[in-house]
Amino acid sequence: MKIEVDTGRCCSSGMCAMTAPQVFDQSEDDGTVVLLDPVPAGEDHAAVLEAAEMCPSGAITVVDVPGGVGTAGPRPSADAGEEGR
């Protein structure tokens, strides 16, 4: 598993740091996500996937999931489904 974060997209909610504190932290300056371990150990994978799914801004992307069991990443904007209506 490999993780990427987009600090520019992060809204500083802290859900990631609460869900997987061994992998994510928050900046003391602005509260944005700090990636502590971009390639976490297997025992942390479930918590990382949960953190990525819970991220309200979609700032966490799981690039490589063992076994190909889905990925999490940036959510589409609220307007994305409005095109063509």
Side-chain angles (χ1 to χ4, degrees), residues 3-73:
I3 306 162
E4 295 176 354
V5 296
D6 182 346
T7 56
R9 187 178 184 116
C10 178
C11 66
S12 305
S13 75
M15 295 303 296
C16 58
M18 288 187 288
T19 305
Q22 62 282 17
V23 179
F24 303 103
D25 199 356
Q26 287 183 277
S27 166
E28 290 186 23
D29 295 329
D30 59 7
T32 56
V33 63
V34 173
L35 183 58
L36 301 175
D37 187 357
V39 185
E43 63 266 13
D44 297 327
H45 289 188
V48 168
L49 288 171
E50 182 178 356
E53 287 295 324
M54 292 176 56
C55 180
S57 63
I60 302 168
T61 302
V62 179
V63 178
D64 182 27
V65 180
V69 183
T71 62

